[in-house]
Amino acid sequence: MAMLEEKTGMASKAEQETAFASGNEMAALAAAQINYHIMGYFPITPSTEIAQLLDQMKLRGEHSIQLIPADGEHGSAGICYGASIMGARVLNATSANGLMYMLEQLPVQSGTRFPMVLNLVTRSISGPLDIHGDHSDLYFALNTGWVILLARTPQAVYDMNIMALKIAEHADVRLPVIVAYDGFFTSHQKRKVRHFKDRSVVQSFIGERPTNFPNAADPKKPITIGAHMNGDDLINNNYQQSEALYRAQEVFKQVAREYAALSGREYPVLDLYRMEDAEVALFLLNSAAETAKDVVDKLRAKGIKAGVISPNMIRPFPAEEIRSALKQVKALLIGERADSYGAHGPNMTHEVKSALQEDKENKTIVLSRVFGVGGKDFYAEDAEAFFQMAIEAMEKGYAKKPFDYFGHVPGRPEKRQTPVMEPMHGDAFKTGLIQVTPDGKTKRLKVKIPPLRALTAKPKRLAPGHGACPGCGIFPGLELFFKGIEGDIAVLFQTGCAYVVSAAYPYSSHKQTMVHNLFQNGAATLSGMVEAFFEMKRRGELHVSDDVTFVMVTGDGGMDIGMGSAIGTALRNHKLIIIEYDNEGYMNTGSQMSYSTPMGHMTSTTGVGKTQRGKAFHHKDTPQIMAATNIPYVFTGTEAFPQDLVKKAAKAQWYARHEGTVYGKLLITCPLNWKSEERYGEQILKAAVESCFFPLYEVERGKTTITYDPEEKNRRIPLSEWLKYMGKTKHLLKEENRDLLLELEQEVERRWRMLKAKHEHPYL
């Protein structure tokens, strides 16, 4: 068993309780007990649970942290930095590309010396996309100037989170701190843990919030933060920051001693397992070290002097402690869950080797192996294989292959995937039944479509067999839209449910070219594809039909975190279509709040309880935002009104081919997270339109036309008739929430009246 967990039974001065919890649960518990002022956050697997858990705990009155949902991780880092410069205590949590997106903000915070705590739930960096745990994100943080602590177990996650804030605020440090632990291994797996019963114990240990350092909170004491520096000043600033980071190691030791006296759990800079006389050893970060410890016991029983080294801190790097631990070790294998491509070994390998260079008497043979990337499990037999490599190097006196990957396999030609259907293109997707003609007088398009049954012979763009949930409205909505698109398409899917369930390597449901890029950059990526396509055609380098429609599919928050990219693309007016499926949340990460979530609706980060009644603010009107960029065509649609959607798809294609950017928003159902019955999908969508929550309209060359007016047809229904279908909104129909329902109704009515005015007055 892990040393940390063995020590959970030690006597301590403060009363503790035993529980069975995951790393994310313990991170949230520590945060609640500390009672931070602010948490800026954006959901990303597998760190999302922390914000969800804190939202649930807030409903129960267990903390008063202000949870601020950002538009993306870059925004969340800005929220946290802004709160910290006011002197507040600040928390964040992220993973993988979330860390990458906020990366440029991290040196800003450390360089201006404002403390905070960031839980990094480690995960593979895309691409290709993989949501499971390795350390490729962690290694990007090494040069940010942050203190970095490592937590191998849920118990360590709790303890490190408490220690981290005390270290960050220490007068000799004043730097932000990362607590990193393994995604899905430590974050989601439950283990036996101990925690303080009374949060006052935690708060007393950390101490009062420091007020004797400059911050932006007092108008009587104005300060300038982040002023431009020239090189003469910057080198002094960097030196001071460097010294503070090195001092953080001594502060860590001091805080660890104090925490051990309080909790009974010890955290040395290096966790050394049976290293006192070890001749062969493994150097492993986080959870893999726990697996290797059991193998050490087996090898010791055979007379082999084996041990494991695992750091609790890697920034600053514990060079002196490593030199001391390796004085008698004959062979060391460093296993790493990420590579530093082209460097003949990953980051920890080079840092350990660099530390050993300072000890001229050290003769340790160092091997390096990349393993476990993308969440690939690390078993006891893998640790045994690592030890065997180290033993062989010890016996030979050298490492036959100092650096290599472990667990990779060569491809086998006989296993090569073959298409299960013939590729479809060109005429296969042309019916000739849809006619779009410009009207010279109105400057609008006239669209003639056949009866929908005539379009059923048109092939679907996506093959069956994808992994969408039962009742998911994404693919019915997209396929209906594609019925109005004639000919070939090249489609880019931003990250989200539609992408994840339709393209899991080595399989794909896409019959034509599909590209994936991340939420925040899909529109820009597609604009590059479009311009390259036409430029190569112009130069005569590409000899294919130019009868191709470029489409970006976004959803699950893509028009929040990706809004900047979409607006930039629209302003440049590239010839492409942006189609958003709106399921009113971030469903691919577990139904978190989106800016398209209506006010009062329940999500996993906007719970309903005594202190909160769902989302606190109104939903974003994305079609109107996109219309303000003056692109040729904007529309809304839903599969509940199929003829309307097919006509708009045909218009969208014409404008994308002839004039520029098109944006369309499709409301689609998500029974799993809307808590609705699958059989009511079409009724829910129809009710959303007929209650005027989701009006059907188009903005064509700047002029607004309502394409379905429920008032004119005497079919308008109360908003409550829509809300009653969904479990996420039934609380709005209770008498105690009447004021909230009224506010939502008033906002829906206000937007509908504005839309009617634009419909009646084309210059509005």
Side-chain angles (χ1 to χ4, degrees):
M1 289 295 291
M3 184 181 296
L4 297 178
E5 293 188 349
E6 286 178 344
K7 293 181 179 294
T8 57
M10 294 175 63
S12 63
K13 295 179 180 178
E15 185 178 359
Q16 298 183 57
E17 294 181 328
T18 300
F20 196 64
S22 69
N24 282 347
E25 289 172 328
M26 296 308 285
L29 176 59
Q33 291 184 328
I34 292 168
N35 201 27
Y36 285 92
H37 295 96
I38 298 291
M39 180 183 185
Y41 72 91
F42 189 82
I44 182 170
T45 305
S47 65
T48 302
E49 274 193 328
I50 298 173
Q52 291 179 184
L53 291 163
L54 284 169
D55 182 76
Q56 295 164 14
M57 296 165 83
K58 190 169 185 177
L59 292 176
R60 300 192 294 267
E62 295 174 17
H63 66 81
S64 57
I65 303 169
Q66 292 299 309
L67 302 170
I68 303 177
D71 59 316
E73 289 88 357
H74 195 269
S76 77
I79 290 168
C80 291
Y81 181 52
S84 68
I85 66 177
M86 294 300 288
R89 283 178 164 167
V90 183
L91 174 74
N92 200 349
T94 195
S95 301
N97 291 82
L99 178 77
M100 297 294 287
Y101 193 33
M102 66 171 65
L103 196 62
E104 77 153 4
Q105 280 292 294
L106 302 191
V108 174
Q109 182 137 2
S110 59
T112 51
R113 306 288 296 280
F114 286 99
M116 68 165 281
V117 174
L118 168 64
N119 278 274
L120 177 58
V121 188
T122 61
R123 188 190 108 180
S124 181
I125 290 285
S126 177
L129 181 70
D130 186 296
I131 65 166
H132 300 100
D134 64 26
H135 294 155
S136 52
D137 52 0
L138 171 62
Y139 285 2
F140 276 97
L142 294 175
N143 291 332
T144 59
W146 288 47
V147 179
I148 302 177
L149 309 182
L150 302 180
R152 290 184 300 284
T153 64
Q155 181 68 69
V157 172
Y158 175 76
D159 296 334
M160 291 284 190
N161 265 274
I162 294 171
M163 293 165 61
L165 182 59
K166 190 176 179 72
I167 294 165
E169 292 182 342
H170 195 283
D172 291 341
V173 179
R174 297 290 300 175
L175 288 170
V177 178
I178 289 171
V179 178
Y181 55 97
D182 290 348
F184 290 108
F185 297 109
T186 305
S187 64
H188 285 64
Q189 293 176 0
K190 292 180 182 285
R191 301 275 287 270
K192 182 180 177 182
V193 294
R194 299 266 287 167
H195 62 84
F196 296 110
K197 184 176 182 180
D198 189 342
R199 76 176 186 178
S200 65
V201 173
V202 173
Q203 295 178 357
S204 177
F205 173 76
I206 294 170
E208 293 292 326
R209 177 178 63 89
T211 57
N212 57 334
F213 290 93
N215 61 57
D218 190 351
K220 298 177 183 178
K221 299 177 181 178
I223 62 171
T224 297
I225 298 168
H228 168 73
M229 287 184 176
N230 60 27
D232 291 340
D233 294 317
L234 186 60
I235 196 167
N236 290 332
N237 187 90
N238 290 1
Y239 171 76
Q240 292 169 13
Q241 181 181 346
S242 174
E243 288 296 292
L245 189 56
Y246 287 121
R247 288 196 298 269
Q249 186 176 114
E250 289 306 311
V251 172
F252 174 88
K253 293 176 181 178
Q254 173 189 326
V255 170
R257 287 192 296 269
E258 295 171 5
Y259 192 75
L262 182 69
S263 68
R265 293 183 289 277
E266 297 178 1
Y267 291 93
V269 172
L270 285 184
D271 180 72
L272 303 176
Y273 189 73
R274 306 194 75 169
M275 284 296 299
E276 57 280 351
D277 63 343
E279 294 181 340
V280 291
L282 302 185
F283 182 100
L284 298 166
L285 304 187
N286 282 350
S287 59
E290 302 304 289
T291 301
K293 288 175 181 178
D294 292 332
V295 177
V296 167
D297 295 339
K298 289 174 60 177
L299 293 175
R300 287 276 177 171
K302 296 178 181 179
I304 299 171
K305 296 179 179 180
V308 175
I309 303 172
S310 188
N312 287 317
M313 169 183 268
I314 56 172
R315 279 296 179 271
F317 192 71
E320 182 57 43
E321 288 78 3
I322 285 172
R323 283 191 288 271
S324 176
L326 295 177
K327 279 197 175 292
Q328 305 303 320
V329 173
K330 296 178 181 178
L332 172 74
L333 188 143
I334 303 169
E336 305 198 54
R337 288 189 182 269
D339 196 359
S340 178
Y341 299 112
H344 303 285
N347 295 78
M348 292 297 103
T349 295
H350 293 299
E351 298 201 11
V352 171
K353 286 181 174 181
S354 177
L356 293 180
Q357 283 290 307
E358 300 299 316
D359 183 357
K360 302 305 179 185
E361 297 180 0
N362 185 278
K363 304 297 183 184
T364 304
I365 302 165
V366 177
L367 300 87
S368 176
R369 294 294 183 269
V370 173
F371 77 100
V373 299
K376 187 174 172 65
D377 285 321
F378 183 68
Y379 298 107
E381 52 265 35
D382 299 322
E384 289 177 7
F386 279 4
F387 272 115
Q388 188 57 43
M389 294 176 200
I391 291 168
E392 290 175 3
M394 176 180 67
E395 292 173 346
K396 291 181 178 179
Y398 67 96
K400 185 177 180 180
K401 197 165 188 179
F403 168 65
D404 199 0
Y405 272 59
F406 176 83
H408 59 296
V409 294
R412 295 171 59 185
E414 67 271 19
K415 296 290 186 180
R416 180 178 295 164
Q417 294 284 323
T418 56
V420 297
M421 62 180 65
E422 287 295 318
M424 305 178 75
H425 60 87
D427 290 342
F429 293 105
K430 291 179 180 177
T431 65
L433 300 174
I434 298 173
Q435 298 177 15
V436 182
T437 56
D439 187 316
K441 292 183 179 180
T442 65
K443 303 298 183 184
R444 299 188 184 187
L445 299 180
K446 291 182 177 180
V447 180
K448 185 178 180 181
I449 63 171
L452 289 180
R453 64 179 178 273
L455 294 176
T456 57
K458 190 174 186 176
K460 291 185 175 182
R461 301 282 182 170
L462 290 103
H466 54 69
C469 300
C472 173
I474 295 174
F475 295 109
L478 288 178
E479 287 287 11
L480 185 60
F481 171 77
F482 285 136
K483 291 297 183 191
I485 302 292
E486 295 277 86
D488 291 322
I489 63 170
V491 62
L492 182 145
F493 277 70
Q494 286 186 321
T495 313
C497 286
Y499 156 68
V500 171
V501 303
S502 63
Y505 183 83
Y507 303 104
S508 175
S509 291
H510 300 272
K511 296 180 180 178
Q512 293 202 281
T513 295
M514 190 284 291
V515 176
H516 163 254
N517 204 355
L518 304 171
F519 282 117
Q520 57 268 34
N521 219 20
T525 303
L526 189 63
S527 69
M529 290 172 58
V530 168
E531 296 307 320
F533 177 82
F534 288 115
E535 178 61 16
M536 288 190 292
K537 287 280 292 181
R538 187 185 69 80
R539 297 187 185 190
E541 298 172 2
L542 192 61
H543 303 285
V544 298
S545 169
D546 59 2
D547 184 23
V548 177
T549 303
F550 291 85
V551 182
M552 184 187 88
V553 176
T554 182
D556 295 292
M559 290 300 284
D560 290 345
I561 188 173
M563 196 76 207
S565 177
I567 288 176
T569 297
L571 291 171
R572 296 189 300 269
N573 202 30
H574 301 278
K575 291 181 176 179
L576 55 85
I577 300 171
I578 298 173
I579 189 78
E580 177 188 9
Y581 62 85
D582 181 13
N583 50 25
E584 299 182 343
Y586 301 159
M587 304 309 183
N588 65 304
T589 48
S591 186
Q592 292 79 34
M593 187 216 81
S594 162
Y595 286 6
S596 70
T597 305
M599 189 181 74
H601 287 221
M602 179 175 65
T603 72
S604 62
T605 50
T606 56
V608 175
K610 292 181 179 179
T611 61
Q612 188 171 272
R613 297 183 295 172
K615 188 186 174 198
F617 53 95
H618 289 295
H619 59 289
K620 180 168 66 177
D621 197 344
T622 315
Q624 289 296 305
I625 295 172
M626 295 302 291
T629 64
N630 296 314
I631 55 179
Y633 190 54
V634 171
F635 70 90
T636 63
T638 172
E639 62 170 307
F641 294 83
Q643 291 89 347
D644 177 79
L645 180 54
V646 172
K647 282 184 178 182
K648 288 172 177 174
K651 279 189 176 184
Q653 182 175 36
W654 191 94
Y655 278 114
R657 284 183 176 175
H658 295 88
E659 294 192 9
T661 304
V662 171
Y663 166 80
K665 186 184 189 79
L666 307 183
L667 184 66
I668 62 98
T669 56
C670 182
L672 179 66
N673 288 307
W674 287 13
K675 299 176 175 58
S676 60
E677 293 188 46
E678 297 168 25
R679 61 190 173 124
Y680 290 139
E682 186 175 335
Q683 289 174 255
I684 295 173
L685 295 176
K686 192 173 182 181
V689 173
E690 294 188 333
S691 66
C692 295
F693 167 78
F694 190 81
L696 297 181
Y697 68 97
E698 60 189 8
V699 183
E700 190 173 356
R701 291 173 171 156
K703 295 183 179 181
T704 299
T705 302
I706 295 173
T707 58
Y708 177 82
D709 189 335
E711 289 182 335
E712 284 187 358
K713 297 180 180 295
N714 293 318
R715 292 178 180 173
R716 186 169 182 182
I717 61 174
L719 194 65
S720 57
E721 288 297 303
W722 170 54
L723 300 174
K724 72 179 184 181
Y725 285 106
M726 299 173 288
K728 69 168 183 166
T729 54
K730 286 187 175 179
H731 63 283
L732 293 174
L733 306 181
K734 295 181 179 179
E735 184 61 33
E736 62 265 29
N737 293 321
R738 186 177 180 82
D739 62 320
L740 191 58
L741 175 59
L742 179 61
E743 185 176 349
L744 182 57
E745 288 174 335
Q746 289 173 341
E747 179 63 16
V748 169
E749 183 67 14
R750 184 186 71 83
R751 296 189 188 189
W752 172 245
R753 290 300 156 202
M754 289 178 64
L755 194 64
K756 291 270 281 189
K758 291 180 178 182
H759 171 81
E760 294 164 2
H761 304 281
Y763 290 104
L764 285 180

